[in-house]
Amino acid sequence: QWHFGETPIPGGTNRTLMLSDIGFGNAGPYHVVVTNEFGSATSAVATLTVNYPPAVVRVVNVQGPAGNIAVPIELVANGNESALAFSLQFDSSRLSYVSANLGADAADASLVVNTNSKSRGRVGLAIARPAGQTFAAGARQVTVVTLAVVPLPLAPSNSAPNIPISFVDDPVVRRLADPSDNSLPAQYQNGTVT
């Protein structure tokens, strides 16, 4: 009989234990007790660890006329993230930093903005939920960065130019953390302003 912790697993009487649709609730200690007419033997405990996949921090692509344009930054969260920090880089001849505000899904968080390098097209941001709180799982708007777009003549194809916005590590290093300040894996997806 297979056990999860001290609880027998229903139907867990085969030679091997097959688990499907593994989730965080499946993490923990497993062991088997083998019984026959001569007695029983208990295996050593095997601990199953379930890791979160990397969260995604992304620049949402936006399109708009010259002037100020709001660029949302989203965290596609697993539900265990409480703070993140990053820097954005943009072409300072085409875009200039105006402001940064907390996003719709981070209204109770704190926001620190480093604008020391804004003339070079770089701005650093740090967003943190209140102590012990995390962002809910799913796509969460954590901040909105407002940039001023300098108008340019349209290209011969009459299409607006794409201006990239990239994640970099200066002036603020990229980092995602849980409530205990442990670093979490993350993927960073750049975006564009059109």
Side-chain angles (χ1 to χ4, degrees):
Q1 173 67 60
W2 286 93
H3 294 78
F4 177 57
E6 296 303 317
T7 305
I9 298 172
T13 57
N14 293 325
R15 180 180 202 136
T16 59
L17 177 63
M18 299 292 285
L19 301 174
S20 59
D21 296 322
I22 298 297
F24 297 105
N26 300 106
Y30 289 82
H31 70 275
V32 65
V33 177
V34 179
T35 304
N36 64 18
E37 63 271 11
F38 300 106
S40 65
T42 302
S43 71
V45 172
T47 301
L48 175 63
T49 302
V50 180
N51 294 320
Y52 286 96
V56 176
V57 182
R58 64 184 176 204
V59 175
V60 177
N61 295 329
V62 293
Q63 189 172 355
N68 290 353
I69 192 159
V71 180
I73 309 297
E74 287 184 343
L75 166 65
V76 181
N78 291 306
N80 65 330
E81 304 87 352
S82 65
L84 65 156
F86 54 87
S87 294
L88 297 175
Q89 176 176 287
F90 47 87
D91 180 349
S92 61
S93 69
R94 296 287 295 118
L95 299 170
S96 63
Y97 173 79
V98 175
S99 66
N101 295 295
L102 289 168
D105 298 309
D108 62 347
S110 60
L111 171 66
V112 177
V113 182
N114 180 329
T115 60
N116 292 340
S117 300
K118 70 179 183 179
S119 64
R120 295 186 304 125
R122 290 185 179 203
V123 60
L125 297 104
I127 300 128
R129 295 290 317 267
Q133 294 185 18
T134 60
F135 291 99
R140 304 289 165 221
Q141 186 187 78
V142 294
T143 188
V144 177
V145 177
T146 301
L147 301 170
V149 181
V150 177
L152 281 182
L154 291 178
S157 65
N158 289 332
S159 64
N162 288 331
I163 307 166
I165 300 175
S166 306
F167 287 99
V168 293
D169 291 317
D170 175 45
V172 175
V173 175
R174 283 175 269 194
R175 185 164 187 264
L176 184 63
D178 69 12
S180 298
D181 201 33
N182 297 308
S183 291
L184 298 172
Q187 297 175 345
Y188 295 84
Q189 297 177 352
N190 302 329
T192 59
V193 170
T194 302

